[in-house]
Amino acid sequence: MSADTQTIAGWGRYPRRATRLIAVREQAAVAPLHRAETGLIARGNGRAYGDAALGDTTTLALGGLDRMIAFDPETGHLAVEAGVLLADIIDAFLPRGFFPAVVPGTRYVTVGGMIAADIHGKNHHGAGGFGAHVENLTLALPDGTVRTCGPGADLFAATVGGMGLTGTILRATLRLRRIETGWIRQRTVAAADLDAAMAALEAANGSTYAVAWIDCLARGAARGRALVYGGEHATRADLADLAPGSPLNPPAGGGALAVPFDLPALTLNRLSVGAFNALYYGRGRAGAGRDSLVGWAPYFFPLDGIRDWNRIYGARGFLQHQCVIPKARSRAALAEILDRVAHAAPSFLAVLKLLGPGGGVMSFPLAGYTLTLDFPASPANLALLDDLDAIVRAAGGRLYLAKDARQSRDTFEAGYGDAATRFRALRRDLGADGRIASGLSRRLGL
């Protein structure tokens, strides 16, 4: 176990924070650190975008807790340490006919991080968040005691989606799902505007997976035009029909492309993003209405194919704005957000999904629509995101803490309200105040 002071950041590379970084390789080392340290937070693979995994004074790097402990092929239950990567689980169990029940947009995240953020995927409308598929977890509490808990316990509900603020997750038991192949049978719908995109997502609600790519620069009658992708785990029969002779499990591939240096800030501009969007929409529309097979890696983790893609946004980093808006107010709010973005600054990424109800006390999802946007970090874009926050607040929505780097306390309180009050009370009961703290918790008063 080693420790030194470093300046670190999340995946968005904004903000940066000096913290005492302690690398942990054994579960038994964590509890004594909780007894000895204050202002401490756990960190997995550093893929939270903002300051959620930046310790107020001390950060525990848990990548060394990377052992898989036990697997039951009858139930699909897998026990792992908290630092195990999702990528390693897929590599080990996809060939055996199992896949994680819920995955985010990158496979380079740890199990502990996925639980702490209660990550959601393209199937939240049917499967819920990652926490809904956790059988139990073991946690080092602020006073150094270690406790195992499961669904139904207040501690479990606060830890799932609690951003590491109840204690340090040491290990967990997950449920994997059975699959026949490593392919996804995908059908694309080309939606001419926002209304058509939302209707297509509603129509795809019975699909296992559903997600929409939005052209955020389209205006007027084309505002919100989109490609909506419905997906199912392909069966052997699907493979024989659509791609006979293909292997049951395509290799992950990717990673050959890399961004070797920080690109200039002007690389992502209205012209470059607009040209990409027009080409992407045109290609998707040409293939719409037909079933196709997509490998698991490009379907779930397209950006993993480009190493260090966060450098595209330049040395100042980038800001991701992911909101969720209740269904009843979603159409008007989404239209207003897209209008602001189309006239202000292009977002390289714009993704729309349907979510179901949340799981943990502080879980992000609400039954409604979630929109994800990326912007280079700059004073102008920080001001733009304040404007978008106001739209989200007025519609009764909130922002995803795992992606947040800059929302105000007022925006947070408006979005999480009673849940935040309940969460603070549980933290007080645990003795976590001051002992477990991150940049995010200090900024938002948690």
Side-chain angles (χ1 to χ4, degrees), residues 51-429:
D51 51 2
L54 309 184
D56 191 40
T57 59
T58 304
T59 303
L60 299 187
L62 300 185
L65 301 185
D66 58 358
R67 289 166 280 272
M68 298 189 198
I69 299 166
F71 179 65
D72 183 344
E74 296 300 318
T75 62
H77 289 182
L78 172 66
V80 297
E81 290 186 320
V84 167
L85 287 176
L86 175 62
D88 293 336
I89 293 175
I90 296 172
D91 287 348
F93 292 98
L94 181 64
R96 300 173 67 173
F98 291 90
F99 197 78
V102 175
V103 298
T106 175
R107 63 189 186 273
Y108 299 119
V109 288
T110 63
V111 167
M114 289 190 288
I115 295 170
D118 194 19
I119 60 95
H120 54 274
K122 298 177 175 71
N123 59 344
H124 191 274
H125 57 279
F130 190 80
H133 306 274
V134 175
E135 288 289 305
N136 58 66
L137 59 85
T138 299
L139 195 69
L141 296 176
D143 63 0
T145 60
V146 175
R147 190 184 307 175
T148 297
C149 58
D154 287 346
L155 181 60
F156 183 90
T159 300
V160 171
M163 304 309 299
L165 295 170
T166 59
T168 298
I169 300 169
L170 302 177
R171 58 174 284 173
T173 301
L174 326 170
R175 293 191 304 275
L176 306 183
R177 63 174 297 163
R178 293 183 184 274
I179 57 170
E180 293 187 27
T181 78
W183 298 87
I184 300 296
R185 190 183 78 245
Q186 176 178 278
R187 175 159 291 202
T188 304
V189 174
D193 56 23
L194 178 60
D195 288 333
M198 295 175 73
L201 279 172
E202 294 285 354
N205 204 33
S207 301
T208 300
Y209 301 105
V211 63
W213 167 87
I214 299 282
D215 181 355
C216 65
L217 289 182
R219 304 185 191 185
R223 177 186 61 195
R225 71 174 181 174
L227 299 172
V228 181
Y229 302 104
E232 304 290 343
H233 285 283
T235 65
R236 290 172 181 261
D238 291 330
L239 192 59
D241 181 40
L242 295 171
S246 297
L248 283 179
N249 298 310
L257 297 176
V259 182
F261 52 84
D262 296 326
L263 296 184
L266 293 177
T267 302
L268 294 180
N269 54 52
R270 188 171 298 277
L271 183 63
S272 63
V273 174
F276 172 84
N277 286 1
L279 176 64
Y280 191 82
Y281 182 76
R283 290 183 62 182
R285 185 172 58 181
R290 300 190 301 269
D291 283 353
S292 61
L293 288 182
V294 182
W296 63 270
Y299 183 81
F300 292 110
F301 316 116
L303 287 175
D304 283 352
I306 306 173
R307 285 183 289 115
D308 300 324
W309 64 261
N310 56 347
R311 304 186 76 171
I312 291 172
Y313 293 90
R316 289 188 295 185
F318 74 99
L319 304 159
Q320 185 166 107
H321 188 273
Q322 184 171 0
C323 66
V324 60
I325 299 170
K327 270 193 178 184
R329 300 180 181 180
S330 58
R331 198 278 174 194
L334 290 171
E336 189 175 357
I337 290 171
L338 290 173
D339 280 342
R340 290 285 290 114
V341 172
H343 287 87
S347 170
F348 181 67
L349 174 77
V351 173
L352 185 67
K353 292 183 291 192
L354 264 174
L355 299 182
V361 175
M362 292 293 290
S363 292
F364 163 70
L366 301 168
Y369 284 88
T370 178
L371 178 66
T372 303
L373 302 164
D374 280 357
F375 303 93
S378 71
N381 286 336
L382 284 165
L384 169 64
L385 296 189
D386 286 343
D387 292 343
L388 301 189
D389 288 354
I391 298 171
V392 173
R393 288 199 306 268
R398 60 192 184 197
L399 303 184
Y400 189 18
L401 299 182
K403 304 294 183 65
D404 174 48
R406 32 65 53 198
Q407 73 171 302
S408 70
R409 191 173 299 188
D410 286 345
T411 295
F412 169 72
E413 294 294 343
Y416 286 85
D418 291 344
T421 300
R422 179 182 167 196
F423 187 71
R424 289 189 184 99
L426 190 140
R427 276 186 28 94
R428 283 195 298 271
D429 291 344

